[in-house]
Amino acid sequence: MTDLRPATAANDDRWLDAAARITAAARLMVRSEDLEEALSLAASAIGEALVGEAVIRVTATQHDLLAGASGVVPPSALPPAVREVLAGPVDLDGVTMDPADAGTRGILMESSGIHATCRVWAGVGRTPSAEGVERTVAELLLHSLAQAVDRIVTVDRFRQNEANLERAVESHRLVGQAMGILIERHRIVSEEAFDVLRRASQDHNVKLREVAQRVIETGAEPDEVVGRS
């Protein structure tokens, strides 16, 4: 059915539909606990806001990732010009030109959080106004992404620290149990039992936790269990 309303009204409706999709994507992004999902959502929403295809680069201590709306991609999947833009300086107005094609323009923006820096390159057929609503929405989405990445990195670090603590507690339990076996068997004190385990660990280059676990599982002497590996 032909839309007989004025072009401005139809455009307004299309923008409202796009705004609803962008808002929904932003909500999912800020709640996401998966880095790749957050990057994909952000690329899709920013691309829709700027009416172009967006590519995001996130750099952090343990990450240097590139992503589009379909998810994380290897650098080789992107044109060299896009990689160059994402690695280059950001102009004050954020509007730059694709070095591979003097006729192609787009927007390069950057937002930094505590743990990561997020950049987005959106190649578009026209250059949105630096003060336009499209640019403002894209900037807000990028800032939201930076906050989401910070949160995800923080949660990952907490989980890693928690896992390290659990491993340390388990190691302490295993060593203590192995020491108890040696104390009971040889009628020695705890310091002597620990020294037996430590020497076996150092002499055979096997972690103390592993030596203790083998003693518990086999009931053999520390030197014997590491000598079997």
Side-chain angles (χ1 to χ4, degrees):
M1 180 177 180
T2 304
D3 192 344
L4 300 179
R5 292 172 297 172
T8 54
N11 288 339
D12 286 346
D13 284 349
R14 283 194 293 271
W15 172 245
L16 287 175
D17 290 342
R21 291 193 296 272
I22 292 168
T23 300
R27 287 174 177 167
L28 290 173
M29 179 178 64
V30 298
R31 291 198 300 263
S32 177
E33 295 185 358
D34 181 79
L35 183 56
E36 181 171 358
E37 179 185 46
L39 295 177
S40 175
L41 288 167
S44 177
I46 291 173
E48 183 156 19
L50 296 176
V51 195
E53 184 175 354
V55 179
I56 291 173
R57 182 185 181 190
V58 170
T59 54
T61 304
Q62 299 178 340
H63 303 287
D64 189 348
L65 301 174
L66 295 167
S70 60
V72 172
V73 297
S76 58
L78 300 176
V82 175
R83 299 200 301 269
E84 181 181 340
V85 167
L86 286 168
V90 179
D91 295 340
L92 291 178
D93 61 1
V95 179
T96 188
M97 183 175 292
D98 185 336
D101 183 356
T104 301
R105 294 182 65 86
I107 291 182
L108 176 67
M109 296 181 294
E110 179 177 292
S111 181
S112 295
I114 298 173
H115 301 299
T117 297
C118 301
R119 281 187 167 197
V120 62
W121 160 255
V124 295
R126 59 185 178 81
T127 303
S129 167
E131 294 79 26
V133 64
E134 301 100 329
R135 170 69 182 273
T136 300
V137 170
E139 286 180 336
L140 290 173
L141 287 167
L142 188 61
H143 293 327
S144 296
L145 174 63
Q147 293 174 359
V149 172
D150 272 351
R151 177 179 50 77
I152 292 169
V153 170
T154 299
V155 169
D156 284 346
R157 288 181 177 178
F158 174 78
R159 287 173 176 168
Q160 290 173 4
N161 290 338
E162 191 175 49
N164 289 338
L165 178 60
E166 290 176 355
R167 283 195 295 270
V169 170
E170 177 65 8
S171 295
H172 184 271
R173 185 189 67 80
L174 290 172
V175 172
Q177 189 173 342
M179 286 172 58
I181 292 173
L182 297 176
I183 289 169
E184 179 69 22
R185 178 182 299 161
H186 300 292
R187 303 299 179 184
I188 57 179
V189 297
S190 59
E191 291 84 356
E192 293 172 315
F194 178 76
D195 194 50
V196 172
L197 293 169
R198 181 183 58 80
R199 283 201 309 268
S201 171
Q202 293 176 346
D203 291 347
H204 297 274
N205 195 28
V206 178
K207 290 184 178 180
L208 184 64
R209 170 196 173 111
E210 182 66 22
V211 175
Q213 188 167 4
R214 293 181 189 179
V215 169
I216 295 167
E217 291 175 349
T218 66
E221 292 297 313
D223 279 333
E224 295 175 356
V225 296
V226 292
R228 295 172 182 172
S229 58

